Amino acid sequence: MDNPAAPAASAPEELVRRHAKSGASLIAVLHAIQDEAGFIPPETVAPLARAMNLSRAEVHGVITYYHHFRTRPAARVTVQLCRAESCRSMGTEALAQHIEARTGCRFDAEHGPDLGLESVYCLGQCALSPAMMINDTLYAKVTPQKFDALIDAACAKQKEPA
Ligand code: FES
């Protein structure tokens, strides 16, 4: 039964309560929180550590180790460029330079609400390098010209009324 005198649970604590189930791995819980919230609010670290019997440093360490996890909301258009070996051998660094020049943004830097550039390390498309994701869509054999068309389309789509 609810105690009316008790303070309401904060959103981060609610996220943890919903996802930190007994027997679940920390990685699985972090994925579930990010899937729901769009990122992992830093305020979830302490309740998550308590719920999973870990230290806050352990939880923070996992969040910051994996590039997939975000600690703040993603930009409306997020470009994730693979910079692992196969893609590097197929010109991803030159593509990254083109993308930065074209967008005026830098990879893995603080971003505004409209566009974010993130480095990732293998998207499972090594035979079709270089690979990238724009929001949730995977693209392969990306050239500078193909990127220009893709980013124009992605930005235009974000401006369409819902
Ligand atoms: S190395 Fe880029 S997709 Fe695997």
Side-chain angles (χ1 to χ4, degrees):
M1 189 164 150
D2 290 340
N3 176 357
S10 65
E13 287 172 351
E14 274 298 306
L15 277 170
V16 170
R17 190 184 57 74
R18 275 200 297 281
H19 298 294
K21 303 293 184 201
S22 168
S25 74
L26 177 58
I27 296 277
V29 173
L30 292 171
H31 275 288
I33 289 173
Q34 183 160 296
D35 286 349
E36 179 179 334
F39 68 110
I40 300 173
E43 298 79 15
T44 59
V45 170
L48 198 46
R50 280 194 302 275
M52 303 199 72
N53 200 25
L54 298 167
S55 70
R56 284 184 291 172
E58 287 172 305
V59 174
H60 179 76
V62 171
I63 292 169
T64 54
Y65 180 79
Y66 291 100
H67 287 262
H68 175 74
F69 295 127
R70 296 188 173 93
T71 54
R72 62 196 187 107
R76 279 190 276 280
V77 174
T78 299
V79 174
Q80 294 181 307
L81 178 65
C82 176
R83 303 179 88 163
E85 290 309 316
S86 176
C87 287
R88 288 179 80 90
S89 73
M90 296 301 286
T92 202
E93 292 310 308
L95 181 59
Q97 288 179 5
H98 170 82
I99 292 169
E100 289 184 339
R102 168 70 199 266
T103 63
C105 298
R106 295 194 57 83
F107 276 92
D108 307 315
E110 293 286 312
H111 61 75
D114 295 328
L115 179 65
L117 304 181
E118 298 177 355
S119 300
V120 294
Y121 296 88
C122 199
L123 291 165
Q125 298 295 310
C126 311
L128 301 170
S129 299
M132 72 167 48
M133 291 188 77
I134 299 181
N135 291 345
D136 292 329
T137 305
L138 181 63
Y139 299 97
K141 293 188 174 181
V142 180
T143 62
Q145 296 73 25
K146 185 172 177 178
F147 171 78
D148 290 350
L150 292 171
I151 197 69
D152 286 348
C155 290
K157 187 175 175 186
Q158 290 303 313
K159 290 179 181 156
E160 289 173 1

